[in-house]
């Protein structure tokens, strides 16, 4: 004879977990698309069901009781497990599904997109959608995985370092290169900067014996902007070699100086913890790691 499970309603558990995570009935209600009073009723119904209070309600706001803290951790783990199981079933689709990848724009256009045909041939049932992204992958945001630059430390995420390193080389237009023969010649040129790599030029200049040179040129938010500025002759840029391979082959950019440096950090595929073994995520991760080592 089957045993009836002693469980409160799923709505009550979801509401309690949302309130415990945000410590706000207002924020939890907005997240769940219900009214604040409805969220409060669900939590009170939960407290009546389990027979103990889960929140202390004081003048300074909400705080979890000892029982509430333990129950919140258990509820979060249970909801995460249910969500993962649901995603696995939804994503299976005979080995297919839609994978949304949040990626840095220049990495996408210069490196990923030219290679995606290979992934499509290996996994024809998986459709890859690309969106721009540079922060954590937030569950519910629409991103399944992210391609990011950093040190591998994204809280609550699994991260996998790709075989891409930022070997930084000095590049400029052929016309500008006529006036750049030695590192010291950079003193007479505008140094183009990338806003998310503030240490790149100082690192290169220090290695070249030019630590006193202030790289105070114009700053650009994306690598493709820096690349286009260098092609247009606006100055000298310091860029990852793999991102300017096409311009170097075509002659639109040249490397007037041989010295290079490797910028700290690396490129990673990241995904919320526990989702790395979803079939579509696992397939993309394995392909991406192999492709980045080519």
């Amino acid at each position: 004879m089957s045993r009836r499970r002693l469980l409160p309603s799923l709505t009550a558990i979801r509401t309690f977990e949302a309130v415990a995570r945000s410590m706000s009935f207002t924020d939890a209600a907005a997240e769940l698309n219900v009214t604040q009073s409805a969220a409060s009723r669900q939590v009170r119904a939960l407290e009546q069901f389990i027979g103990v209070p889960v929140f202390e309600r004081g003048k300074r706001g909400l705080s979890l009781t000892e029982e509430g803290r333990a129950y919140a951790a258990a509820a979060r783990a249970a909801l995460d497990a249910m969500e993962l199981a649901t995603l696995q079933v939804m994503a299976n689709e005979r080995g297919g599904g839609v994978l949304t990848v949040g990626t840095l724009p220049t990495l996408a256009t210069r490196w990923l997109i030219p290679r995606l045909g290979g992934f499509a041939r290996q996994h024809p049932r998986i459709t890859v959608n690309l969106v721009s992204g540079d922060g954590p992958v937030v569950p519910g945001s629409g991103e399944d995985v992210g391609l990011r630059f950093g040190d591998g430390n994204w809280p609550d995420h699994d991260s996998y370092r790709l075989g891409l390193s930022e070997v930084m080389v000095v590049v400029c237009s052929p016309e500008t290169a006529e006036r750049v023969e030695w590192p010291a010649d950079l003193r007479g040129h505008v140094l183009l900067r990338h806003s998310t790599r503030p240490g790149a030029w100082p690192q290169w200049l220090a290695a070249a014996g030019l630590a006193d040179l202030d790289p105070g040129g114009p700053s650009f938010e994306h690598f493709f902007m820096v690349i286009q500025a260098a092609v247009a002759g606006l100055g000298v840029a310091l860029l990852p070699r793999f991102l300017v391979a096409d311009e170097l082959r075509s002659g639109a950019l040249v490397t007037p100086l041989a010295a290079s440096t490797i910028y700290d950090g690396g490129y990673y595929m990241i995904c919320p913890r526990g989702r790395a073994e979803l079939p579509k995520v696992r397939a993309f991760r394995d392909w991406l790691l192999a492709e980045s080592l080519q």
Side-chain angles (χ1 to χ4, degrees):
M1 183 176 178
S2 62
R3 177 180 65 85
R4 180 182 178 185
R5 293 186 182 275
L6 185 63
L7 292 171
S9 75
L10 180 58
T11 300
I13 294 175
R14 288 183 63 222
T15 303
F16 163 64
E17 190 276 333
V19 177
R21 180 163 29 86
S22 63
M23 295 308 294
S24 166
F25 278 100
T26 301
D27 292 346
E31 175 185 329
L32 299 171
N33 197 28
V34 298
T35 65
Q36 183 177 348
S37 60
S40 180
R41 285 196 301 271
Q42 288 294 334
V43 171
R44 290 191 182 279
L46 176 65
E47 290 176 320
Q48 292 173 2
F49 185 91
I50 62 178
V52 295
V54 291
F55 288 111
E56 292 178 350
R57 299 163 175 82
K59 293 182 179 180
R60 296 184 178 180
L62 288 177
S63 62
L64 285 163
T65 64
E66 184 176 347
E67 295 84 358
R69 281 193 295 273
Y71 198 57
R76 186 170 300 115
L79 289 172
D80 285 346
M82 290 179 63
E83 182 182 29
L84 179 59
T86 303
L87 287 169
Q88 287 176 325
V89 173
M90 293 172 63
N92 201 17
E93 298 181 15
R94 296 183 181 178
V98 176
L99 181 76
T100 301
V101 180
T103 178
L104 304 167
T106 310
L107 181 65
T109 57
R110 295 302 179 109
W111 187 84
L112 180 60
I113 291 174
R115 291 166 171 79
L116 275 180
F119 180 78
R121 287 189 291 273
Q122 291 182 29
H123 303 279
R125 295 183 179 275
I126 299 177
T127 299
V128 177
N129 292 339
L130 298 183
V131 297
S132 180
D134 61 3
V137 177
V138 180
S141 67
E143 286 183 63
D144 295 301
V145 302
L147 302 185
R148 306 289 193 260
F149 184 86
D151 59 5
N153 182 26
W154 283 269
D156 301 319
H157 286 64
D158 293 316
S159 63
Y160 304 88
R161 183 159 185 164
L162 307 183
L164 302 172
S165 61
E166 288 198 339
V167 178
M168 309 294 282
V169 294
V170 173
V171 297
C172 60
S173 67
E175 294 76 18
T176 301
E178 294 176 1
R179 304 189 304 277
V180 181
E181 186 175 359
W182 304 99
D185 294 335
L186 293 178
R187 294 185 184 277
H189 291 273
V190 174
L191 302 186
L192 306 173
R193 298 177 297 135
H194 190 288
S195 59
T196 68
R197 305 292 191 274
W201 267 120
Q203 180 182 345
W204 189 96
L205 292 169
L210 297 170
D212 63 316
L213 178 56
D214 178 21
S219 176
F220 301 86
E221 183 179 4
H222 298 294
F223 273 129
F224 68 81
M225 296 178 178
V226 186
I227 294 169
Q228 289 306 115
V231 170
L234 300 184
V236 179
L238 187 64
L239 291 164
R241 186 187 298 274
F242 80 94
L243 290 181
V244 290
D246 289 345
E247 283 76 14
L248 293 176
R249 278 193 294 269
S250 70
L253 291 176
V254 297
T255 54
L257 303 172
S260 64
T261 57
I262 298 179
Y263 195 73
D264 293 338
Y267 288 92
Y268 290 81
M269 190 199 91
I270 66 173
C271 62
R273 188 153 295 149
R275 299 191 182 188
E277 294 309 312
L278 287 171
K280 61 182 180 180
V281 174
R282 184 174 64 246
F284 186 72
R285 178 197 64 204
D286 293 348
W287 171 82
L288 190 66
L289 292 174
E291 191 67 29
S292 69
L293 294 173
Q294 298 295 322

